[in-house]
Amino acid sequence: MTSDVTLYPADAEQRLGFDVVRARLDYHARTPYGADVLAALRPSSDEADVRARLGRAGEMTDLIGFDDPFPLATSDDVRPTIARLRPHDSLVDGADLAALGRVLAVLRLVHDYLHARKAKAPGLWKVAERIVVMKPLEDRISRTIDDAGHVRDDASPLLSDLTRRLVSSNGRLRETLSIALRAAIAAGWATEAQPTIRGGRAVIPVRAEAKRKVQGFVHDVSASGQTVFIEPASVLDLNNEIRELDIERAREVERILRELSTHARHHGDDVLDGLGALGRLDAAAAVARLSLETGALVPEVGETGALRLIGARHVGLVLREALKPKAEQRPVVPLTMSMGDGDGPDDDRPEAATVLVVTGPNAGGKSVVMKTVGLTSLMAACGLPVPAAPGTRIPLPTQIFVDVGDQQSIADDLSTFTSHLTHVAAMLENADNRSLCLLDEAGTGTDPAEGGALAEAVLRRLASRGTRVVATTHVGALKAFAHDTRGVANGSMAFDRETIAPTYRFRAGVPGSSYAFEIAARVGLPEPVVTDARARVGEGTVRLDALVADVEKRAEDAEANLAQADLRLAESEARLVDAERIRRDYEQRLERLRADTDARRAAALAEADEILAGANASVERAVREIREAQADPDATREAREQLDAARAIVAKRTGAVRKRQKQRRPEAAPVIAASGPVEPGDHVRVDEAGPVGEVREVTSKEAVVAFGQLVSRVKLGRLVKVGGPTARPGRAVSATASRAARRAPSGSSGSGSGGSMSALSARTRLDLRGARVDEALSDVEQFVDAGLVAGVPSLEIVHGKGTGALRQAIHEALARRRDVAGFAVAPIDQGGDGVTVVRFA
């Protein structure tokens, strides 16, 4: 069963404007093989076949539009050359072989180009892999034949020798001829002239009356009979020698061409296979150039389902405007509409209908809407991208019936109405639920009442089959029919009532007025005539037209209000996104500031404790010395009381600070303590809610701990070991993070002389654009470890968009880390796909 789409009538392509598409595709073809493929282009109803064609077209569009130039040069047709080489021992001339060599070079370049991009363009590579690269034959041709198609003088040692001897002999011949000619001139037997060639022999011109004065052979006489051309006896042997060398050289050239032709004959089938692939690739390139020229894209296709056009434009109109001078170009008004896009049999929305009745004024764009539906469907079925916006979907028809234009035929004795009925009869006989029928000016050409009734009956029958139909009309009864009948919907072309001019904008679900009276008055018909006409159509018709016009006006106002509302909503959403970004930024900054403040305060308190402890020891030592010296007991007691009061004040202040720290971070969970003694390089927390620091030195009773830029001595009994560097309370930290914190990773900032990382000094953004994957992954590990130590809530990794390989590698590395709570690409306003946000809680 064939999958070709049936077109009715035979000139349906021309009626829709597809002939313009074919002509432009042929213009963009670079080779005769591609032109032949495009000439044989036929629409298909097979979804897999069409998807494959569209896929190749999309791949080629991306390559031509965004990659290195596609190496497809204009090529000669070498298929006749291959045909002439078929017989055994045949040969072709040098020009044919030179053309074959150029085609082989193109085949090789195209093959290598697509082989290097087979992951990016798998559909095109599937075609190109049929090309056999014949580099030895290509090189042999280039070494043997020059660009002009002549056998090179150095093609063989013998040919090189013969050529050298010919050059030498010809030089001696010219010199000898010049001597003979000068002698004849001096004797008065010849006039001032140059030697020439007659019958393949070198001769000199001599006066007829002196021909017997010059020894030699007469080869020719001038037309006037006054000059004879004589081969002097002195050059006879030289001429004979040159003639023999010419013959021998021609024989060697023929041998070389025959040998090279035999080599090419052995590759004839491979060459033809390559030319077939080259033709398909050239056709795909022509399609891609047309797509770039018209702003086309690959639509979604299916064998059934909804027809959905989003911002579609008639390609003929697009090309017409594109080929005009820039100053004369006008934008083509896009078409957005749907058919058969319903949720079930009870869906009575306009887009759910399969039959669309389009009304509106003359020259308002009704026929353009109908032809755009037909042409985009035909282009998609041919595997061609269509000028439309994303979201466009086209069901592939098995039949397209086109009843467009004036089909009146004097030769066949058919009137316009009769021809119209002939086409309608073909639709009724053959159309099914995968057919597309286009009827222009339905119900016209005969009595309006009878024509409208016939059109209604036809549309009702086609609607019952689920056939997709777009019909334009001026018959008012069909507007009511479309409104009242399930599966049939109204549509109209908007009209500016103030300027009495069409806008070419389509509106679904709304019938349109013909605006006949308004247009008549605008073009200058007398007002009494227009008024009389209004009165004669009847009050009901006038009221209906007024109602339709009012509906159109209300629809226009609603569309304008909706557009303004959408604009305001978009602006509000943009402001909301911006405000949310600012809020998150300030929250992160505040969190970092609080964390750093707590760390500094806790470190200061720890240092105060140590100072107080030292002071206490000094006082105790002084008291002991006083006692030993039998000092006054009352003085000793007073000193102790002052010391206890100082201790109480410091303890009270320390407790108040720590209480505020706990209240500020009520969500903090207990640290998971690590086992083992405290050693240099470990990360520890002071007391239960103190800051995390890095151990620098350890003695028997105390340790030197770095808290950001502050370094303090703390008793071992107050330290809780948390293992490696820790980012947030309640999370165990890996040894990897500890090492990363010590070596100050790329993208983070060290914390000063202490070497550890505070939340305030940690960088939260790492730029990896341009880095190799292995280097980037190492930097990411260090950057995340440093962020964990610093206690920041999130980090940003800038990797750029590019091919996505770096982003994928980073995401895979982050997914393997248990200490990362989550990650995702950033919002659009913060970098989108080019930035990954890492969260720690």
Side-chain angles (χ1 to χ4, degrees), residues 564-578:
Q564 292 180 358
D566 288 342
L567 180 61
R568 289 194 294 269
L569 179 61
E571 293 175 348
S572 299
E573 290 177 348
R575 287 194 295 268
L576 181 62
V577 168
D578 191 52

Side-chain angles (χ1 to χ4, degrees), residues 225-486:
Q226 296 180 357
T227 303
V228 295
F229 297 95
I230 298 176
E231 179 184 3
S234 59
V235 300
L236 178 62
D237 290 339
L238 279 173
N239 267 330
N240 289 338
E241 180 183 343
I242 291 172
R243 182 64 175 166
E244 290 172 1
L245 288 173
D246 278 337
I247 293 172
E248 191 174 354
R249 187 180 188 282
R251 188 181 299 116
E252 176 64 8
V253 167
E254 181 181 347
R255 185 195 67 79
I256 293 171
L257 290 176
R258 192 175 302 278
E259 186 178 88
L260 190 54
S261 296
T262 300
H263 191 179
R265 181 183 306 111
H266 293 156
H267 294 280
D269 290 339
D270 288 338
V271 173
L272 290 177
D273 285 344
L275 296 181
L278 185 63
R280 295 176 63 188
L281 294 172
D282 185 22
V287 171
R289 294 186 186 96
L290 177 65
S291 299
L292 293 170
E293 189 176 39
T294 59
L297 55 70
V298 173
E300 179 186 350
V301 295
E303 294 186 355
T304 57
L307 168 67
R308 192 179 307 118
L309 299 182
I310 309 296
R313 294 161 295 152
H314 190 284
V315 70
L317 297 179
V318 175
L319 287 173
R320 185 187 69 184
E321 295 301 323
L323 297 177
K324 288 181 179 179
K326 200 80 171 179
E328 299 178 12
Q329 292 179 4
R330 295 186 303 169
V332 177
V333 180
L335 168 66
T336 297
M337 53 89 69
S338 296
M339 294 179 64
D341 195 6
D343 297 328
D346 296 330
D347 192 343
D348 58 356
R349 294 176 301 152
E351 55 267 31
T354 58
V355 176
L356 177 65
V357 177
V358 184
T359 51
N362 284 316
K366 300 189 302 299
S367 296
V368 173
V369 168
M370 180 181 58
K371 290 182 179 180
T372 301
V373 172
L375 185 54
T376 52
S377 297
L378 181 56
M379 290 179 67
C382 287
L384 307 180
V386 299
T392 294
R393 184 187 189 280
I394 300 175
L396 301 173
T398 55
Q399 304 173 94
I400 299 179
F401 298 89
V402 182
D403 180 29
V404 176
D406 186 357
Q407 294 92 32
Q408 183 175 10
S409 172
I410 298 176
D412 296 333
D413 195 24
L414 294 178
S415 68
T416 299
F417 183 66
T418 304
S419 178
H420 165 72
L421 290 182
T422 301
H423 296 160
V424 169
M427 296 179 191
L428 293 175
E429 181 179 356
N430 299 290
D432 57 19
N433 64 340
R434 288 197 62 187
S435 299
L436 175 63
C437 297
L438 307 174
L439 291 88
D440 196 20
E441 300 296 347
T444 59
T446 186
D447 180 87
E450 295 176 353
L454 278 173
E456 180 179 332
V458 169
L459 295 179
R460 191 183 299 276
R461 179 66 59 88
L462 294 175
S464 67
R465 300 178 186 176
T467 304
R468 287 182 179 80
V469 183
V470 179
T472 68
T473 187
H474 285 286
V475 178
L478 292 180
K479 303 175 188 177
F481 161 72
H483 182 270
D484 297 335
T485 306
R486 187 176 297 277

Side-chain angles (χ1 to χ4, degrees), residues 597-607 657-658 661 686 689-691 707:
T597 301
D598 290 346
R600 291 174 182 271
R601 182 180 290 111
L605 290 173
E607 187 174 7
V657 169
R658 289 173 180 161
Q661 289 175 330
V686 178
F707 302 94

Side-chain angles (χ1 to χ4, degrees), residues 499-583:
T499 62
I500 313 298
T503 64
Y504 305 109
R505 289 187 297 105
F506 175 78
R507 293 178 304 183
V510 180
S513 171
S514 295
Y515 289 98
F517 299 134
E518 289 81 356
I519 296 174
R522 179 64 181 267
V523 300
L525 260 67
E527 182 61 30
V529 174
V530 175
T531 302
D532 185 37
R534 287 183 186 274
R536 291 181 180 279
V537 299
E539 181 180 352
T541 302
V542 172
R543 290 180 62 189
L544 177 60
D545 284 345
L547 178 61
V548 169
D550 183 63
V551 170
E552 290 180 344
K553 183 64 170 59
R554 291 174 181 269
E556 290 176 359
D557 292 343
E559 289 176 358
N561 292 335
L562 181 60
Q564 292 180 358
D566 288 342
L567 180 61
R568 289 194 294 269
L569 179 61
E571 293 175 348
S572 299
E573 290 177 348
R575 287 194 295 268
L576 181 62
V577 168
D578 191 52
E580 179 64 19
R581 178 184 58 78
I582 295 173
R583 184 190 66 79

Side-chain angles (χ1 to χ4, degrees), residues 4-16 18 22 41-44 374 377-379 381-382 397-402 426 436 438:
D4 286 351
V5 177
T6 301
L7 299 178
Y8 181 90
D11 62 347
E13 284 192 1
Q14 289 74 22
R15 295 182 184 278
L16 292 176
F18 193 69
R22 285 193 181 276
L41 183 64
R42 296 292 180 271
S44 172
S377 297
L378 181 56
M379 290 179 67
C382 287
T398 55
Q399 304 173 94
I400 299 179
F401 298 89
V402 182
L436 175 63
L438 307 174

